[in-house]
Amino acid sequence: MHSWTDTLRFAFQPVVNLRTGAVAALETLARPETGDILAEARRDPELDGRLTVLALRAATHKETLLPLHLNVFAATLADLGGLTPLHDAVRATGRMPWEVTLDIVPPYTHVPQRALLEAVAALREQGFRISADGIGDGDVPLRLLNDLSPDLVKLDGSLLARPAAVRAMRTLCEELGALVAVEGVETELQCAAALSAGAQLAQGELFAPPARIPAADVYVPPRSPGAVSVPRSGPSVREFVRPAAVLPVTASAGQVRALLTGSPDVSGVLLVDQAGRPVRSVHRSRFLLSMSARYGHALYADRPAFKLGDAPRTVGVDATAWEVLDVVAIGGRDRTSDDVAVVDARERCVGVVRLADLVRALAESRVEEAAGLNPLTRLPGSDAITTEVDRWIADGRTFALSWLDIDHFKQVNDGAGFAAGDELIRSVGRALQQAVVGHARVGHIGGDDFLVLADEDTLVPVVAGVLDAPWSAGGRPVTLSVATVVCVPGSVGDHRQAAAHLAPLKKEAKALRGASWVLGRAGAGGHEVRRGGTGAGAAQAGYAAAEPGL
């Protein structure tokens, strides 16, 4: 009598890192030749558990070093209280639990949430990683998603048509410490949309279809300039994590050599303890040089590889690319090409980052940033500020957007010359940069116009630091005008709406005498005059007073 396992096959689909273009993991998918085994597994937790174990063994037979993603229904975990056979199977195959991510698949309806959370906690204690699958197309409650606190959230590709939803999920995942992946990416436009919305990982036919043999190469479209916005503090190290080649700390030099010679793309091996914490780092070139020296194989082959390794260099998963460079900088020059191990809160290795990936990304961000700088002040242009405004809106932050310009600047140029006018603009730009604190941003949008994005709490010292300074050009006093709109969550949908609220406040500020500041709130009527006198602008001092027709 034939069993359903006789016709069951598995296919593998890569999970691609959108930043590095490398394969980050392999998802193993059941592909029965007849029948609907997944529908049966959905009704039978014991069958679903056996499927997960078989998927693991199928991947192991392919001798892949990549981390694995295995699917399991939410109801299976709640009913079985975890997957004890899977833990035993992982150990039997020589893999580590933290190399396996369990993709928890909908439906969640009628699944006892407490039992599910207890099962997930037990799996985490064993070392497994957790992914919430099918978000956006499934029925996972938002509260349960928050309580699951997954390491990865997989969004259905249909959400790419709703970029605001993807950005919102990215914000939630940043709070949870999770990565964002998009499934079902089929076109380059979808890939670009996933990147711009902040996804770090993706799967789909565009990169590589599911196949019986794991894909050695994947197609990742080249990124267009500005496709990924980079925070000022630098991109997160999470975006650059590659799978780590690991062996137990007890491994011999011969075992390390076999791994390296059989995997030419592996740049180094991490020796880890039983909990998955890096203990030693073995660099490919230095290790093979020692082994190939005269008598090297005889001397080292059966000895612990530990003796040929170095202390690992590690960073936490919340580190930025710049912080990784700091770690590299304090090491010896002979180790600048070493991989840096990325560890989680329990010091377990989650992967490695390569210096070349970081340098390339940071260089690209600097080139893109430089291309958007105003040549006079070297400040970012309007695109950089409006992008940041949209990010703050997506993050649900209250912010103050201020516009500043020099009163009657044409008369400054006409009276003192364009060189004096340019120097005045540069001086105002420097003063704004010195006055801002925290995460505030200053942009020079052209001519004598500036934009300032800041928290409302830091707004007063920023404006005072500029308006209180004595300004002059050609020996004659000059004044500045500032208009500010404060936006609370929900009051504006994007930077265009914020600018629309700011426009009438600019006119009000320009109608005041002397240094002026007008503040309004999006969605609220009226405005507050915080600086400046009422009356015709012709009564202003300096260049304005010299031109009575103004």
Side-chain angles (χ1 to χ4, degrees):
M1 180 177 179
H2 289 287
S3 167
W4 56 265
T5 58
D6 295 337
T7 59
L8 183 63
R9 300 293 183 268
F10 290 91
F12 306 92
Q13 186 170 43
V15 180
V16 177
N17 185 315
L18 293 175
R19 170 70 77 169
T20 65
V23 178
L26 285 177
E27 180 174 358
T28 308
L29 305 166
R31 290 289 188 266
E33 294 183 4
T34 59
D36 190 349
I37 191 66
L38 294 181
E40 294 182 40
R42 178 177 168 180
R43 297 187 294 267
D44 185 346
E46 294 287 349
L47 172 58
D48 191 33
R50 293 203 300 275
L51 269 179
T52 307
V53 171
L54 288 173
L56 168 72
R57 290 173 178 164
T60 303
H61 291 158
K62 301 301 180 182
E63 298 182 352
T64 176
L65 296 175
L66 290 167
L68 304 175
H69 283 243
L70 307 176
N71 293 293
V72 61
F73 286 109
T76 296
L77 295 181
D79 188 79
L80 299 181
L83 291 172
T84 301
L86 178 64
H87 184 266
D88 296 338
V90 168
R91 292 295 186 185
T93 59
R95 302 296 293 258
M96 301 287 188
W98 45 267
E99 295 179 86
V100 176
T101 297
L102 292 173
D103 290 353
I104 304 179
V105 180
Y108 287 82
T109 302
H110 307 308
V111 174
Q113 293 189 8
R114 182 173 179 178
L116 174 60
L117 292 173
E118 289 176 351
V120 167
L123 289 165
R124 273 212 175 90
E125 189 63 31
Q126 294 169 0
F128 291 103
R129 303 192 185 283
I130 303 298
S131 166
D133 203 351
I135 304 302
D137 190 47
D139 60 346
V140 56
L142 192 57
R143 184 185 65 184
L144 177 60
L145 179 63
N146 189 80
D147 291 342
L148 281 172
S149 190
D151 302 285
L152 174 67
V153 171
K154 287 190 173 183
L155 305 181
D156 187 83
S158 62
L159 282 185
L160 292 175
R162 302 166 180 81
V166 182
R167 288 195 296 270
M169 289 304 305
R170 168 70 188 260
T171 300
L172 174 61
C173 287
E174 287 177 349
E175 293 291 328
L176 297 176
L179 293 177
V180 177
V182 178
E183 298 179 294
V185 175
E186 298 180 351
T187 67
E188 294 194 8
L189 286 177
Q190 288 181 317
C191 182
L195 268 169
S196 63
Q200 297 107 342
L201 304 171
Q203 292 176 263
E205 296 280 340
L206 175 67
F207 312 107
R212 296 287 176 85
I213 304 298
D217 297 302
V218 294
Y219 170 73
V220 179
R223 291 189 298 116
S224 57
V228 180
S229 56
V230 180
R232 296 186 76 193
S233 58
S236 169
V237 73
R238 294 172 182 268
E239 300 181 25
F240 303 94
V241 174
R242 291 175 177 265
V246 297
L247 285 173
V249 69
T250 55
S252 68
Q255 289 175 295
V256 172
R257 183 177 183 276
L259 190 157
L260 291 175
T261 54
S263 307
D265 293 334
V266 173
S267 55
V269 177
L270 289 175
L271 304 179
V272 299
D273 63 16
Q274 289 187 340
R277 296 182 292 258
V279 178
R280 301 295 277 182
S281 173
V282 179
H283 184 265
R284 180 186 189 92
S285 297
R286 294 197 299 274
F287 174 83
L288 292 180
L289 185 62
S290 298
M291 290 291 288
S292 61
R294 190 177 185 184
Y295 307 122
H297 188 273
L299 287 172
Y300 300 118
D302 296 326
R303 299 183 66 183
F306 182 97
K307 296 183 179 297
L308 293 175
D310 301 288
R313 294 190 293 191
T314 62
V315 295
V317 292
D318 295 322
T320 67
W322 291 111
E323 290 170 327
V324 177
L325 291 186
D326 289 340
V327 170
V328 173
I330 62 176
R333 290 189 178 183
D334 61 329
R335 297 194 63 192
T336 54
S337 62
D338 287 20
D339 294 341
V340 177
V342 182
V343 297
D344 62 15
R346 298 186 181 184
E347 299 298 319
R348 298 175 304 187
C349 177
V350 301
V352 296
V353 289
R354 293 180 179 176
L355 182 61
D357 290 336
L358 301 184
V359 171
R360 185 182 304 112
L362 293 173
E364 288 174 355
S365 70
R366 285 295 179 258
V367 169
E368 292 173 8
E369 183 179 317
L373 296 181
N374 187 287
L376 183 61
T377 58
R378 310 303 296 169
L379 288 172
S382 59
D383 287 347
I385 303 302
T386 54
T387 297
E388 192 74 7
V389 169
D390 285 339
R391 184 182 296 116
W392 286 31
I393 291 171
D395 290 347
R397 295 176 60 175
T398 296
F399 64 90
L401 182 63
S402 300
W403 162 88
L404 176 148
D405 84 338
I406 301 168
D407 294 326
H408 304 284
F409 183 70
K410 183 178 184 301
Q411 282 67 48
V412 173
N413 272 344
D414 290 347
F418 69 86
D422 286 351
E423 181 54 37
L424 178 60
I425 289 174
R426 281 192 288 264
S427 297
V428 172
R430 286 193 295 267
L432 283 171
Q433 282 185 295
Q434 293 169 1
V436 297
V437 295
H439 298 289
R441 296 292 304 273
V442 177
H444 182 189
I445 60 177
D448 62 319
D449 294 308
F450 295 86
L451 281 177
V452 180
L453 174 64
D455 293 314
E456 185 179 8
D457 294 342
T458 64
L459 188 60
V460 172
V462 171
V463 176
V466 179
L467 292 187
D468 289 346
W471 299 104
S472 64
R476 306 176 76 169
V478 174
T479 58
L480 309 179
S481 294
V482 179
T484 299
V485 60
V486 176
C487 303
V488 299
S491 63
V492 292
D494 58 21
H495 69 270
R496 297 177 183 84
Q497 293 182 17
H501 286 291
L502 186 58
L505 299 175
K506 292 164 57 177
K507 294 181 179 179
E508 295 292 338
K510 297 299 289 186
L512 299 174
R513 294 199 312 268
S516 61
W517 181 20
V518 170
L519 183 143
R521 296 181 181 275
H527 62 272
E528 177 185 353
V529 177
R530 293 198 170 187
R531 292 283 187 99
T534 58
Q540 294 186 35
Y543 282 99
E547 301 286 344
L550 296 175

